[in-house]
Amino acid sequence: MLKEFQEFAMKGNVVDLAVGVIIGAAFGAIVNSLVGDVIMPMIGAVTGGLDFSNYFTPLAKSVTATNLADAKKQGAVLAWGSFLTLTLNFLIVAFVLFIVIRLMNQLKRRQEAAPAPPKLTRQEELLTEIRDLLKKS
């Protein structure tokens, strides 16, 4: 059973998946930082510092707080601002990933479209070797 597990774990697909997950996690952190540290502050500057994450609708009469954290302690609240913020973050992340994948596909197409140099015939190879030998002497 241990041998079977080792064979399974060392298959190319499993190793590729592990590498993909690790790189994906690192890329996710980069994109989250881009959204949280670059894009959202610019949106906040454009909208005058508007932050939806603290918007909520109280569902219980006992909720009197004005910020979400305290309101959650007092009772049930519909935190629609947090949902809106996370949805906006998702859309930004999805758009950034779309742009990155689009650029990668364009690069891949360019590489595939580049014609390979024509393979030399045996006669051309011999002539090239003779030319190179003549240059050396």
Side-chain angles (χ1 to χ4, degrees):
M1 188 164 111
L2 184 61
K3 185 176 180 180
E4 283 183 62
F5 177 74
Q6 183 180 10
E7 288 174 10
F8 168 76
M10 291 303 156
K11 283 185 181 176
N13 294 341
V14 175
V15 175
D16 291 345
L17 178 63
V19 169
V21 167
I22 292 168
I23 290 175
F27 185 73
I30 291 170
V31 172
N32 285 335
S33 175
L34 175 70
V35 169
D37 300 332
V38 177
I39 295 173
M40 290 308 284
M42 287 191 297
I43 291 174
V46 169
T47 61
L50 189 61
D51 181 18
F52 295 111
S53 63
N54 214 24
Y55 289 4
F56 65 94
T57 301
L59 298 177
K61 295 194 187 290
S62 61
V63 178
T64 58
T66 57
N67 67 8
L68 181 60
D70 292 338
K72 282 184 175 182
K73 292 176 186 173
Q74 293 176 346
V77 293
L78 181 65
W80 60 271
S82 294
F83 177 75
L84 188 63
T85 300
L86 289 174
T87 302
L88 184 62
N89 285 353
F90 169 77
L91 292 174
I92 293 169
V93 169
F95 181 73
V96 169
L97 287 174
F98 169 74
I99 296 297
V100 168
I101 290 172
R102 186 171 181 219
L103 289 173
M104 288 174 51
N105 287 339
Q106 286 177 351
L107 290 173
K108 187 176 180 181
R109 276 188 232 120
R110 284 184 190 161
Q111 288 176 349
E112 289 173 355
K119 182 150 173 79
L120 298 176
T121 64
R122 180 67 182 143
Q123 183 180 6
E124 290 171 332
E125 287 177 10
L126 289 172
L127 288 172
T128 304
E129 288 177 20
I130 292 170
R131 182 198 64 203
D132 292 343
L133 288 172
L134 289 173
K135 282 183 182 179
K136 287 183 183 178
S137 56

